[in-house]
C-alpha cells in the first residue's frame, strides 16, 4: 500500500507539471492492472475527473469518448495504444503509457517519502468524480456522470453485505472500466486492505481456474 501512495504521488507531480486543474478530465484505457488502479485513485485524489474507457472498444469509439469527454490526458495500456491515432484526438495535451512513471518524484522527495507527505484533496458528495461511458448499443457510447457519493455509497454497501478482511485475496477479472468490476473487485477491496490480483489476460475459463488455483481468493465476483 505504501508503494501505491508513492505511485499516486508520482502521477500527482505529472498532473501538476501538465497544468491539470480540479475538474479537468483524465481518460484511462487499458486492460486491468495495478497501474490502472493507481491512475484511477491518483486522478480522484488530485481532484480531477476520471474517464474510464473499456479496452475492448474499437479505436474510433475510443477517439470519440476522449473527444466528447474533453479529456486533457490519456493513460493507455500498450495493447490499446497500437490501434489508436493521436491526430484523431486533437484536444489531448498528453498521452502516457500506464507502466511509465516519472523521475520528477526523486527531485521533489530527495531523501524519503513518508505518510506525512500524503495530502489528498477532500471531495464533496455532489462533485463529479467519474464520466462512465456505456458500451453504446446504438450509435456511439453515452456518458454517465457519477458524483463522489455514488462511489462512496457502493463502497459502503460492500462493507455492509460482504465480510472481507485486511489481507484477504481477490482476483480482479471483470473490466475495471465497468462500474460493477470497479466497485466490487477494486474500490471496496482496496478500502478493506485486501490483496488484489489483476487478471491481465482475456479471462478464458482455463486462465480463470488457473488464477483461482494459485491465488485461492476469499471472494469471487462474477
Amino acid at each position: 500500500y505504501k508503494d501505491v501512495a508513492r505511485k499516486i504521488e508520482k502521477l500527482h507531480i505529472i498532473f501538476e507539471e501538465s497544468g491539470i486543474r480540479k475538474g479537468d478530465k483524465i481518460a484511462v484505457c487499458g486492460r486491468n492492472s495495478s497501474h490502472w488502479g493507481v491512475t484511477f485513485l491518483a486522478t480522484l485524489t488530485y481532484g480531477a475527473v476520471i474517464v474510464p474507457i473499456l479496452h475492448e472498444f474499437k479505436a474510433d469509439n475510443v477517439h470519440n469518448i476522449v473527444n466528447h469527454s474533453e479529456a486533457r490526458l490519456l493513460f493507455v495500456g500498450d495493447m490499446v495504444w497500437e490501434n489508436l491515432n493521436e491526430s484523431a484526438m486533437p484536444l489531448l495535451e498528453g498521452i502516457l503509457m500506464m507502466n511509465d512513471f516519472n523521475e520528477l518524484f526523486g527531485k521533489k522527495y530527495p531523501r524519503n517519502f513518508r505518510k506525512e507527505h500524503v495530502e489528498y484533496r477532500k471531495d464533496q458528495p455532489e462533485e463529479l468524480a467519474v464520466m462512465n461511458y456505456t458500451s453504446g448499443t446504438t450509435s456511439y457510447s453515452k456518458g454517465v456522470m457519477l458524483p463522489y457519493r455514488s462511489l462512496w455509497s457502493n463502497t459502503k454497501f460492500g462493507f455492509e453485505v460482504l465480510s472481507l478482511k485486511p489481507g484477504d485475496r481477490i482476483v480482479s477479472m471483470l473490466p475495471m472500466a465497468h462500474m460493477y468490476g470497479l466497485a466490487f473487485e477494486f474500490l471496496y477491496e482496496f478500502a478493506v486492505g485486501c490483496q488484489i490480483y489483476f487478471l491481465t489476460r482475456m479471462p478464458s475459463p482455463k486462465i480463470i481456474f488457473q488464477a483461482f488455483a494459485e491465488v485461492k481468493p476469499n471472494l469471487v465476483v462474477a
Side-chain angles (χ1 to χ4, degrees):
Y1 277 76
K2 75 178 190 300
D3 291 334
V4 173
R6 288 172 65 86
K7 288 185 184 297
I8 286 174
E9 184 61 26
K10 289 182 181 185
L11 287 184
H12 282 184
I13 293 170
I14 289 177
F15 297 163
E16 211 172 307
E17 294 287 325
S18 305
I20 298 296
R21 299 179 302 273
K22 175 180 117 30
D24 283 347
K25 318 298 190 305
I26 295 173
V28 56
C29 186
R31 290 182 185 273
N32 287 13
S33 69
S34 58
H35 298 301
W36 199 109
V38 166
T39 303
F40 184 92
L41 295 172
T43 301
L44 292 190
T45 52
Y46 187 83
V49 176
I50 191 78
V51 182
I53 303 173
L54 285 161
H55 71 273
E56 297 103 332
F57 278 169
K58 289 186 167 62
D60 62 338
N61 205 0
V62 175
H63 297 154
N64 178 66
I65 291 170
V66 169
N67 294 334
H68 183 268
S69 67
E70 300 179 338
R72 291 183 61 189
L73 294 179
L74 170 63
F75 285 80
V76 291
D78 48 3
M79 293 183 73
V80 170
W81 174 238
E82 291 170 8
N83 301 314
L84 296 184
N85 176 9
E86 65 268 32
S87 63
M89 300 174 284
L91 294 177
L92 276 183
E93 295 168 33
I95 300 168
L96 296 93
M97 294 289 281
M98 257 186 285
N99 50 355
D100 291 346
F101 291 99
N102 70 334
E103 281 127 37
L104 295 170
F105 180 82
K107 293 178 184 172
K108 188 171 180 180
Y109 304 101
R111 294 183 181 277
N112 50 46
F113 180 69
R114 300 183 181 279
K115 61 183 179 183
E116 55 266 25
H117 295 133
V118 174
E119 188 180 342
Y120 296 155
R121 187 180 166 277
K122 202 153 188 165
D123 49 82
Q124 298 300 315
E126 295 303 323
E127 278 184 303
L128 179 62
V130 182
M131 285 180 68
N132 189 247
Y133 282 80
T134 64
S135 51
T137 313
T138 57
S139 181
Y140 279 122
S141 302
K142 313 295 188 295
V144 181
M145 300 167 76
L146 300 174
Y148 278 91
R149 64 172 163 76
S150 66
L151 299 184
W152 164 242
S153 60
N154 274 330
T155 305
K156 185 171 183 292
F157 174 75
F159 274 95
E160 289 169 358
V161 300
L162 300 169
S163 55
L164 293 178
K165 305 180 298 300
D168 280 355
R169 301 167 172 225
I170 188 158
V171 176
S172 171
M173 59 180 179
L174 299 174
M176 294 173 77
H178 196 284
M179 291 313 298
Y180 183 46
L182 179 70
F184 299 113
E185 280 189 345
F186 177 63
L187 285 180
Y188 161 69
E189 283 78 6
F190 193 84
V192 170
C194 293
Q195 292 184 39
I196 306 171
Y197 294 78
F198 295 96
L199 201 60
T200 54
R201 293 183 291 171
M202 283 292 285
S204 69
K206 184 179 179 183
I207 289 172
I208 290 171
F209 282 122
Q210 184 184 345
F212 287 170
E214 291 175 14
V215 175
K216 298 181 174 60
N218 297 80
L219 172 73
V220 173
V221 182

